[in-house]
Amino acid sequence: MNYYVCLLQEGVSSIPKLIEKAYANNYNVVATSINANMVPFEPDESDPTYPATILSAMDWNSKVIFTMSDVDVDSPNVKLRQHAKEVLLRDVAWAEHLQNMGSVMVRLRGPENDNLAAIVRSKTKGNWFIRVPITNPDLATFEHRKDATAEEVAQAESNDPWSWWNNLRIAAKYSSKVKVVVELNDSDRPSKETVRRWLGEPIEAIIIPSSLFVRNRSNYCVLKKEWQLIIGQFISVRANIIISTNPKDNALSQYADYLKKLINENCDTHVLNSYENMLEIPLQPLSDNLDSYTYEVFETDPVKYKLYQNAVQAALIDRVSDEEAKSKLTVVMLLGGGRGPLARAIFNAAELTKRQVRLYIIEKNTNAIRTLSNMVKTLWANKDVHIFSKDMRDFSPPELADIMVSELLGSFGDNELSPECLDGALKLLKPDGISIPYKSTSYINPLMSAILHQNVCQLLSTVPAFDYGYVSLLKNIYHIDEPKALFEFTHPNRVEKIDNTRCKVLSFTVKKDCVLHGIGGYFDTHLYKDICLSINPLTHTAGMFSWFPMFFPTRPRTLKEGQTISIKFWRCVDATKVWYEWQVVNSPDDWEHHNTCGTGYNMRL
Amino acid sequence: MNYYVCLLQEGVSSIPKLIEKAYANNYNVVATSINANMVPFEPDESDPTYPATILSAMDWNSKVIFTMSDVDVDSPNVKLRQHAKEVLLRDVAWAEHLQNMGSVMVRLRGPENDNLAAIVRSKTKGNWFIRVPITNPDLATFEHRKDATAEEVAQAESNDPWSWWNNLRIAAKYSSKVKVVVELNDSDRPSKETVRRWLGEPIEAIIIPSSLFVRNRSNYCVLKKEWQLIIGQFISVRANIIISTNPKDNALSQYADYLKKLINENCDTHVLNSYENMLEIPLQPLSDNLDSYTYEVFETDPVKYKLYQNAVQAALIDRVSDEEAKSKLTVVMLLGGGRGPLARAIFNAAELTKRQVRLYIIEKNTNAIRTLSNMVKTLWANKDVHIFSKDMRDFSPPELADIMVSELLGSFGDNELSPECLDGALKLLKPDGISIPYKSTSYINPLMSAILHQNVCQLLSTVPAFDYGYVSLLKNIYHIDEPKALFEFTHPNRVEKIDNTRCKVLSFTVKKDCVLHGIGGYFDTHLYKDICLSINPLTHTAGMFSWFPMFFPTRPRTLKEGQTISIKFWRCVDATKVWYEWQVVNSPDDWEHHNTCGTGYNMRL
């Protein structure tokens, strides 16, 4: 992963020299005033600060973050406000002249930011980095002031800088060019929940003041354990690092080297990182065939097939005693053979338990059949294995199965129609036959994620994006409350009239002021007895990456700490399709009812 | 530039081994039958050819071009046609299983390709490479058959493979996933015009049969000069190389190395290559300010400012004799100073001619003024130079100019409103004062370019794309005929009632059957006496890159060799804007009249 470590210094007389110093000390970006060199505080000041030619266009774009004049365009004082606007607009014009895709940074001063938002929206090139203190700076001053009243403290606590940012980004219409830069300070360490909430925002970077560093016994600049943990969390959601210090500081390289070490320790490296926060519209489970690339990705899961193998092993031992091992044949039916990974797990299980197994592989994808057939001819030439190129619902078996093995589960458990498929395959199973897996449960919880919301909005031009559920590797999210169990399905389902529709309301408590952007969806499944797979964040199977969570969007609404929100979820079935509907049902008013009649996301039968 | 050299061999038994051999001989891609290993010619053949697992998904996508079964889905014989469709659809399904963004290649057999086009349109992943012989293969056979009648030869000549491709791409709706692969053959060398016409197509690669190589005196495989030139032309428009040979050939590395050398010699390396075939909507010349990046790019032009300097030098010498050199001051007015390159050229000219110059720089971009002011303070502290932050039309000069210097010309000459600006600046000039430049002329010609047409169509969702003129670095184009002069403007224009509207019809002769996709636009300008700048392809100033040509799109129509087409062009002016209109006015029917009333592309006054 490419993180940058940026040196932020004000009062600089030469930007090229600052860059030189920063590079010599292992920084790769600098941040400094756009009016470096001198400060023409009059907006119509004609004197130059520096010519455009001191850096090349490429350097202006890639090496410099401009900090804008620290003026209050939302001041209640008309004169001050007017002057501030002129100064900031002049800075914007100069920034747009120098940078195409570069970035400018501006500091929030309080909750009122409507004029700033208007200026933010008017700039068409590059990004805005919005600098926000992680906690209200007033709180820090109280640490030194023993005379602060409880009322003053309470007021400062309620004036939460996150809400300053929230007001601005709403006024700036969730523009993807507007990102937040969270500024730490040495006098107040934020609570865990405060940090977690910021992870649901489009974090560009965190600012670490050099005063956060302490000297260790070897006289090196280091961070205390508590700060390491906080900064590590930001790094894990791809926040870059900005070190803020004064021009005379001579420990610059120690800070940069220390942070680069911290980045290496905390950056979440995995091959799927390009999927983070992306929204994928799920495939049609019955009509779309997987391609070879998708099979290949799933086959590399280091955990899933091992757990399936353990489950089949345990089932074989339970069904066939050691005495019968040589004589008793267990018929296993694999529903959906793909390119063979589960077949391999079943053969491994038979070999390890020394049980006799006859394996029927049913697979509807004729392309996968080519590869399976080749495996039968080469790898499994001496096995009792039979391939059928069929939809499992239409398959007439030559004999009934002791064990039915399948991996038909989607990110939300039943969303790839495993209930319908396994119900349809019931006729393949002996009366005492078992299904691996035998139970699956879906889970949901409310989420804040500005980036996912932006991505949903971008899809609006092509699909009714708020009526879709998406598969997404959730990264920049805040769990407003913990996941709770939603729908459960068990197999085999031998009730006479099977009903796979469901409806349930779950209530959650808002842990901190935030915005609801949607609902996270997860599942766990019991393969055999207590052998489980889970993508529920509370119980996630370690190392397993076969399933990303789901995300069901809602229209954004700001929530207050302590508030209860109730989410109603439906699983609906008609003759041709299965779909979900969802709605926040908060008294006194219900929010939008999503995906009514399955007009958006649905699974065709 | 990243070209690939691909090894095309059929009758291969193992694709991994073919890749190994190709890599060992300096190829980076292979092309071979999708049914390598064996040929299950029955469409419902269930026997595998090879399993998907012999290569990783990444290799299937990046190292292999599949050649599809060579069946005739447009055969007049119903049974053959039906069978061919089933075979090809099976191949497509297998290709889509193995490849996400990979490519398949199919051979055209004649002018009828409607069924093939339907299959091409139905494949959603990856690219189609359409293999087309550069000339009709029948012609080649006549070389050996002395008994061919003149009629047979004429018929083969009229059955032009380019038209096979043209029919297919029209039926495939100009999909950007469909590219052409032109196959050379050793018995018939194509004419220059035949080669040039292919350059207007979306060329993916050329196929060079190994039989095209001859042994030189050192027994190395080389190509004859004539073939080198032809292949070099294809390389210059980014065509990749496919070497077609038989599995027993043992000169493989010689071909690859030879072609890599040829690529190095012919590939057009320049820093602006990412702009090739891209369409840029021109800026508003009066209201949009250039940014620092754009200034920087233009300032690096190695030719333009030198020619301006030469022009000013010549003008200074003409206006001030050697005797007067020390005493007579020449007032130069620079209209549009930017970041100073023309001012530098003017000071250089003054120094070289030892003439006394007072320079007024007028610049409306307040951001550029910052840099200019700094230059005045530092570089030009001892010069007689004065900066005015003004629109030249509103500028009241302290004295009148001997020489007015400007670079207000756009890619189409007058399209950045230089006539209007220079007319407005006439009041700054002495009665005998001169303008550098003093004349500009626009040029047009008809073009075929499938890629530019695709790019225009992609813009249709956001703008009325056929009513815009674009700035474009034309690369994959075919000049249907040579450019001719359109509109001329001279400066200073001292006529009493200036009329800057124009209208003219120009006629062109179609050199070869082709498709008209639009009109190329160019200009040349006389700076002083015979010192010129030109982007007319016939007279292009060597090394100058400050202007890309313009492209005015038309709806595609197939044209026949020898046909005359007449293009009517208007320059229109009203109180608020200037715009062009264009129309092909071919009897008996006029084609679409583009940009009526300037509702699309226009320049605001």
Side-chain angles (χ1 to χ4, degrees):
Chain A
M1 296 302 297
N2 294 322
Y3 290 76
Y4 60 79
V5 179
C6 169
L7 178 62
L8 167 59
Q9 288 189 339
E10 299 292 3
V12 162
S13 64
S14 159
I15 295 176
K17 277 188 188 148
L18 176 62
I19 293 175
E20 208 177 297
K21 181 169 75 170
Y23 272 60
N25 286 288
N26 298 332
Y27 296 77
N28 30 21
V29 182
V30 304
T32 195
S33 169
I34 192 163
N35 297 307
N37 190 348
M38 68 172 76
V39 187
F41 209 71
E42 284 314 305
D44 53 352
E45 177 67 76
S46 69
D47 257 7
T49 46
Y50 47 84
T53 44
I54 57 169
L55 288 183
S56 70
M58 192 182 280
D59 285 355
W60 283 127
N61 281 307
S62 63
K63 295 183 178 170
V64 181
I65 297 166
F66 284 125
T67 63
M68 307 302 257
S69 293
D70 195 14
V71 291
D72 188 359
V73 295
D74 289 281
S75 164
N77 177 314
V78 180
K79 265 199 163 170
L80 277 184
R81 190 166 68 221
Q82 199 49 41
H83 177 266
K85 277 191 196 177
E86 286 172 18
V87 168
L88 191 57
L89 285 171
R90 181 205 57 193
D91 286 357
V92 165
W94 185 231
E96 292 206 287
H97 180 65
L98 295 180
Q99 297 184 326
N100 273 291
M101 321 128 324
S103 305
V104 301
M105 185 151 69
V106 71
R107 189 170 73 88
L108 292 193
R109 301 160 155 262
E112 301 300 334
N113 292 303
D114 281 358
N115 291 333
L116 179 59
I119 292 174
V120 163
R121 285 203 307 271
S122 74
K123 180 172 181 281
T124 56
K125 295 177 184 174
N127 300 307
W128 282 91
F129 296 165
I130 309 297
R131 184 171 172 175
V132 187
I134 194 160
T135 50
N136 189 332
D138 289 349
L139 285 175
T141 65
F142 295 148
E143 301 245 322
H144 308 285
R145 277 177 52 197
K146 297 295 165 207
D147 62 333
T149 63
E151 196 185 339
E152 280 177 315
V153 172
Q155 198 185 354
E157 266 172 355
S158 73
N159 188 2
D160 179 352
W162 173 83
S163 72
W164 308 352
W165 154 255
N166 190 39
N167 293 347
L168 174 83
R169 81 80 173 286
I170 291 170
K173 299 184 188 301
Y174 276 93
S175 163
S176 60
K177 292 176 160 189
V178 181
K179 297 171 184 190
V180 68
V181 169
V182 173
E183 184 160 15
L184 311 183
N185 71 73
D186 56 355
S187 53
D188 189 30
R189 200 160 50 237
S191 72
K192 278 186 188 171
E193 207 60 26
T194 295
V195 172
R196 281 199 200 111
R197 184 177 52 179
W198 280 116
L199 308 186
E201 299 294 353
I203 290 261
E204 171 64 25
I206 49 170
I207 298 181
I208 303 174
S210 59
S211 54
L212 223 59
F213 284 88
V214 292
R215 298 265 173 186
N216 69 3
R217 283 185 216 152
S218 321
N219 206 30
Y220 272 104
C221 294
V222 297
L223 292 169
K224 286 194 186 146
K225 191 73 199 162
E226 298 84 346
W227 282 117
Q228 288 178 37
L229 288 173
I230 290 169
I231 294 167
Q233 283 185 278
F234 282 107
I235 290 170
S236 74
V237 298
R238 316 288 178 217
N240 296 288
I241 303 293
I242 299 175
I243 307 275
S244 146
T245 179
N246 69 61
K248 301 226 164 113
D249 196 321
N250 52 23
L252 295 184
S253 68
Q254 290 198 25
Y255 310 145
D257 296 344
Y258 187 87
L259 263 305
K260 286 194 174 169
K261 206 174 118 268
L262 213 57
I263 288 170
N264 273 332
E265 288 166 8
N266 289 282
C267 79
D268 183 6
T269 55
H270 54 84
V271 290
L272 298 170
N273 59 47
S274 64
Y275 290 96
E276 287 172 2
N277 300 321
M278 303 304 289
L279 301 176
E280 278 179 90
I281 292 182
L283 291 178
Q284 281 297 334
L286 299 188
S287 55
D288 289 345
N289 278 330
L290 293 190
D291 60 28
S292 194
Y293 169 77
T294 311
Y295 283 125
E296 183 176 304
V297 170
F298 288 138
E299 287 164 16
T300 55
D301 193 303
V303 180
K304 185 174 74 168
Y305 296 110
K306 185 66 178 58
L307 290 171
Y308 263 97
Q309 181 178 317
N310 295 350
V312 175
Q313 259 182 272
L316 285 175
I317 288 171
D318 282 355
R319 287 186 75 86
V320 180
S321 66
D322 281 349
E323 292 70 37
E324 301 169 306
K326 284 205 173 153
S327 59
K328 192 167 170 188
L329 184 72
T330 304
V331 175
V332 180
M333 241 165 243
L334 170 52
L335 307 179
R339 303 198 316 179
L342 270 184
R344 204 174 294 127
I346 292 164
F347 287 134
N348 287 347
E351 219 157 281
L352 289 165
T353 56
K354 300 199 169 64
R355 266 37 177 192
Q356 307 303 313
V357 160
R358 173 172 300 149
L359 178 61
Y360 294 94
I361 306 178
I362 297 97
E363 174 56 59
K364 70 174 166 62
N365 180 349
T366 52
N367 295 305
I369 290 284
R370 284 206 196 193
T371 298
L372 280 174
S373 303
N374 185 279
M375 286 174 164
V376 167
K377 279 194 186 167
T378 55
L379 296 175
W380 305 325
N382 58 355
K383 305 278 187 199
D384 188 357
V385 54
H386 310 273
I387 299 179
F388 294 89
S389 181
K390 285 275 183 194
D391 186 309
M392 67 186 76
R393 294 169 299 176
D394 311 329
F395 176 55
S396 305
E399 61 188 315
L400 295 182
D402 295 281
I403 305 175
M404 202 159 81
V405 182
S406 66
E407 48 167 340
L408 305 169
L409 296 168
S411 298
F412 202 44
D414 56 277
N415 65 309
E416 295 190 358
L417 304 183
S418 75
E420 285 73 15
C421 290
L422 291 179
D423 293 345
L426 189 62
K427 61 180 190 290
L428 312 180
L429 199 61
K430 289 182 185 168
D432 71 335
I434 61 163
S435 170
I436 294 178
Y438 69 93
K439 190 169 85 176
S440 70
T441 311
S442 53
Y443 296 81
I444 57 168
N445 73 335
L447 298 179
M448 173 170 87
S449 176
I451 296 180
L452 290 181
H453 174 68
Q454 286 165 0
N455 292 344
V456 171
C457 292
Q458 280 189 355
L459 289 173
L460 272 179
S461 60
T462 51
V463 293
F466 282 96
D467 293 324
Y468 270 78
Y470 304 92
V471 171
S472 181
L473 176 43
L474 305 178
K475 188 77 182 178
N476 287 91
I477 53 158
Y478 169 57
H479 291 282
I480 296 173
D481 195 1
E482 287 180 351
K484 293 182 176 172
L486 184 68
F487 302 146
E488 188 180 288
F489 291 89
T490 57
H491 308 287
N493 187 352
R494 297 188 186 276
V495 305
E496 200 162 334
K497 204 166 158 48
I498 294 177
D499 179 8
N500 288 327
T501 66
R502 298 285 189 278
C503 180
K504 194 168 182 178
V505 178
L506 290 172
S507 290
F508 299 88
T509 304
V510 177
K511 286 191 255 176
K512 214 165 169 61
D513 290 5
C514 62
V515 176
L516 180 70
H517 290 121
I519 301 158
Y522 325 91
F523 82 101
D524 68 16
T525 185
H526 287 66
L527 296 178
Y528 185 73
K529 289 185 169 167
D530 58 353
I531 299 173
C532 291
L533 303 176
S534 169
I535 66 161
N536 176 351
L538 298 173
T539 59
H540 200 295
T541 305
M544 185 177 69
F545 62 74
S546 284
W547 291 275
F548 296 159
M550 287 205 68
F551 180 73
F552 298 93
T554 61
R555 304 279 172 181
R557 286 217 202 173
T558 302
L559 304 175
K560 299 309 274 179
E561 185 173 327
Q563 183 181 349
T564 298
I565 56 164
S566 300
I567 298 174
K568 189 168 183 181
F569 233 98
W570 292 261
R571 187 184 201 265
C572 309
V573 183
D574 72 13
T576 60
K577 64 182 186 296
V578 177
W579 71 98
Y580 304 105
E581 299 179 10
W582 59 99
Q583 184 177 27
V584 179
V585 287
N586 262 21
S587 58
D589 66 321
D590 289 348
W591 297 13
E592 179 174 339
H593 188 135
H594 292 266
N595 198 25
T596 326
C597 303
T599 47
Y601 171 45
N602 65 65
M603 296 79 81
R604 287 193 296 275
L605 283 167
Chain B
M1 296 302 297
N2 294 322
Y3 290 76
Y4 61 77
V5 179
C6 169
L7 177 62
L8 167 59
Q9 288 188 339
E10 298 294 1
V12 162
S13 65
S14 159
I15 295 176
K17 278 189 188 147
L18 175 63
I19 292 175
E20 208 177 295
K21 181 168 76 170
Y23 273 60
N25 286 288
N26 297 332
Y27 296 77
N28 30 21
V29 183
V30 304
T32 195
S33 170
I34 192 164
N35 296 307
N37 191 349
M38 70 172 72
V39 186
F41 210 69
E42 285 313 305
D44 52 353
E45 176 67 78
S46 69
D47 257 8
T49 47
Y50 47 84
T53 44
I54 56 169
L55 288 183
S56 71
M58 193 182 280
D59 285 355
W60 283 128
N61 280 308
S62 62
K63 293 183 178 169
V64 181
I65 299 166
F66 285 125
T67 62
M68 307 302 256
S69 293
D70 194 13
V71 291
D72 188 359
V73 295
D74 288 282
S75 163
N77 177 313
V78 180
K79 266 199 161 171
L80 277 183
R81 190 167 68 223
Q82 200 48 41
H83 176 267
K85 276 190 194 176
E86 287 173 17
V87 167
L88 191 58
L89 285 171
R90 182 205 57 193
D91 287 357
V92 165
W94 185 231
E96 292 205 289
H97 181 64
L98 296 180
Q99 297 185 325
N100 274 292
M101 323 130 320
S103 304
V104 301
M105 185 152 68
V106 70
R107 189 171 72 90
L108 292 193
R109 301 160 154 262
E112 301 299 333
N113 293 302
D114 281 358
N115 291 333
L116 179 59
I119 293 175
V120 163
R121 284 203 306 270
S122 74
K123 181 171 181 280
T124 55
K125 295 177 182 173
N127 299 307
W128 281 92
F129 296 166
I130 310 297
R131 184 172 171 175
V132 187
I134 194 160
T135 51
N136 189 331
D138 290 347
L139 284 174
T141 66
F142 296 146
E143 301 245 321
H144 307 285
R145 275 176 55 195
K146 296 296 164 208
D147 62 333
T149 63
E151 197 185 337
E152 281 177 315
V153 172
Q155 200 185 353
E157 266 171 355
S158 74
N159 188 1
D160 177 353
W162 172 82
S163 72
W164 308 352
W165 154 256
N166 189 39
N167 292 348
L168 175 82
R169 84 77 175 285
I170 291 169
K173 300 185 188 300
Y174 277 92
S175 163
S176 60
K177 292 177 161 189
V178 181
K179 297 170 184 191
V180 69
V181 169
V182 174
E183 186 161 13
L184 311 183
N185 72 73
D186 55 355
S187 52
D188 189 30
R189 200 159 51 236
S191 71
K192 278 185 187 170
E193 206 62 26
T194 295
V195 172
R196 280 197 201 113
R197 184 178 52 179
W198 279 116
L199 308 185
E201 300 295 351
I203 290 262
E204 171 65 24
I206 49 169
I207 298 181
I208 304 174
S210 58
S211 55
L212 222 60
F213 283 88
V214 292
R215 299 265 174 186
N216 69 4
R217 283 185 216 152
S218 323
N219 207 31
Y220 271 105
C221 294
V222 297
L223 293 169
K224 287 194 186 147
K225 192 72 199 163
E226 298 84 347
W227 282 117
Q228 288 179 37
L229 288 173
I230 290 169
I231 294 166
Q233 282 185 282
F234 282 107
I235 291 170
S236 74
V237 297
R238 314 290 177 216
N240 296 288
I241 303 293
I242 299 174
I243 307 275
S244 148
T245 178
N246 69 64
K248 301 222 165 118
D249 196 321
N250 53 22
L252 295 184
S253 68
Q254 289 198 25
Y255 309 145
D257 296 344
Y258 187 88
L259 263 305
K260 287 194 174 170
K261 207 174 119 265
L262 213 56
I263 288 170
N264 273 331
E265 288 166 7
N266 288 282
C267 79
D268 183 7
T269 55
H270 54 86
V271 291
L272 299 169
N273 59 47
S274 64
Y275 290 95
E276 287 173 3
N277 300 321
M278 304 304 290
L279 300 176
E280 279 179 89
I281 292 183
L283 291 177
Q284 281 296 335
L286 298 187
S287 54
D288 291 343
N289 277 331
L290 294 189
D291 60 28
S292 195
Y293 169 77
T294 311
Y295 283 125
E296 183 176 305
V297 169
F298 289 137
E299 287 165 15
T300 56
D301 193 303
V303 178
K304 183 174 77 170
Y305 296 109
K306 185 65 177 60
L307 289 172
Y308 264 98
Q309 182 178 317
N310 295 349
V312 175
Q313 257 181 274
L316 285 174
I317 288 172
D318 281 355
R319 288 185 76 86
V320 179
S321 65
D322 282 348
E323 294 69 37
E324 301 169 306
K326 285 204 172 152
S327 59
K328 191 168 169 187
L329 183 73
T330 303
V331 175
V332 179
M333 242 164 241
L334 170 53
L335 308 179
R339 305 198 314 179
L342 270 184
R344 205 173 295 126
I346 292 163
F347 287 134
N348 288 347
E351 218 157 282
L352 289 164
T353 56
K354 299 198 169 65
R355 267 34 177 195
Q356 308 302 315
V357 160
R358 173 173 299 149
L359 179 61
Y360 294 95
I361 306 178
I362 297 98
E363 173 56 59
K364 71 175 165 61
N365 180 348
T366 53
N367 295 305
I369 290 285
R370 284 207 197 191
T371 299
L372 280 175
S373 303
N374 184 281
M375 285 174 164
V376 167
K377 279 194 187 168
T378 55
L379 297 174
W380 305 326
N382 58 354
K383 306 278 186 199
D384 187 356
V385 53
H386 311 272
I387 298 179
F388 295 89
S389 181
K390 283 276 182 193
D391 186 310
M392 67 186 77
R393 294 170 300 177
D394 311 330
F395 177 55
S396 304
E399 60 188 314
L400 295 183
D402 296 282
I403 305 176
M404 203 159 83
V405 182
S406 66
E407 48 167 338
L408 305 168
L409 296 168
S411 297
F412 202 44
D414 57 277
N415 66 309
E416 295 190 358
L417 304 182
S418 74
E420 285 73 15
C421 290
L422 292 180
D423 292 346
L426 188 63
K427 62 179 186 292
L428 312 180
L429 199 62
K430 288 182 184 169
D432 72 334
I434 61 165
S435 170
I436 294 178
Y438 69 93
K439 189 169 83 177
S440 70
T441 311
S442 53
Y443 296 81
I444 57 169
N445 72 336
L447 297 179
M448 173 170 86
S449 175
I451 297 180
L452 290 181
H453 175 67
Q454 286 165 1
N455 292 345
V456 171
C457 291
Q458 281 189 356
L459 289 173
L460 272 178
S461 61
T462 50
V463 292
F466 282 96
D467 293 324
Y468 269 79
Y470 304 93
V471 171
S472 181
L473 176 43
L474 305 178
K475 188 78 182 175
N476 287 91
I477 54 157
Y478 169 57
H479 291 283
I480 297 172
D481 194 1
E482 288 179 350
K484 294 182 176 171
L486 184 68
F487 302 146
E488 187 179 290
F489 290 89
T490 56
H491 308 286
N493 186 352
R494 297 189 186 275
V495 304
E496 199 161 335
K497 205 166 158 47
I498 293 178
D499 179 7
N500 288 327
T501 66
R502 298 283 189 278
C503 180
K504 194 168 182 178
V505 178
L506 290 172
S507 291
F508 299 89
T509 304
V510 177
K511 286 192 255 175
K512 216 165 169 58
D513 289 4
C514 61
V515 176
L516 180 71
H517 290 121
I519 301 158
Y522 323 92
F523 81 101
D524 67 18
T525 184
H526 287 67
L527 296 177
Y528 186 72
K529 288 185 170 167
D530 57 353
I531 299 174
C532 291
L533 303 176
S534 169
I535 66 160
N536 175 350
L538 299 172
T539 57
H540 200 295
T541 306
M544 184 177 71
F545 62 74
S546 284
W547 291 275
F548 296 159
M550 289 204 68
F551 180 72
F552 298 93
T554 61
R555 305 279 172 180
R557 286 217 203 173
T558 303
L559 304 176
K560 301 309 271 179
E561 185 174 327
Q563 184 181 347
T564 298
I565 56 164
S566 300
I567 299 173
K568 189 167 181 181
F569 233 97
W570 293 259
R571 187 183 201 265
C572 309
V573 184
D574 70 13
T576 61
K577 63 182 186 296
V578 177
W579 71 97
Y580 303 105
E581 300 179 10
W582 60 99
Q583 184 179 27
V584 179
V585 288
N586 262 21
S587 57
D589 66 321
D590 288 348
W591 298 14
E592 180 174 339
H593 188 135
H594 294 266
N595 198 26
T596 325
C597 301
T599 47
Y601 170 46
N602 63 64
M603 295 80 80
R604 287 193 296 277
L605 282 167

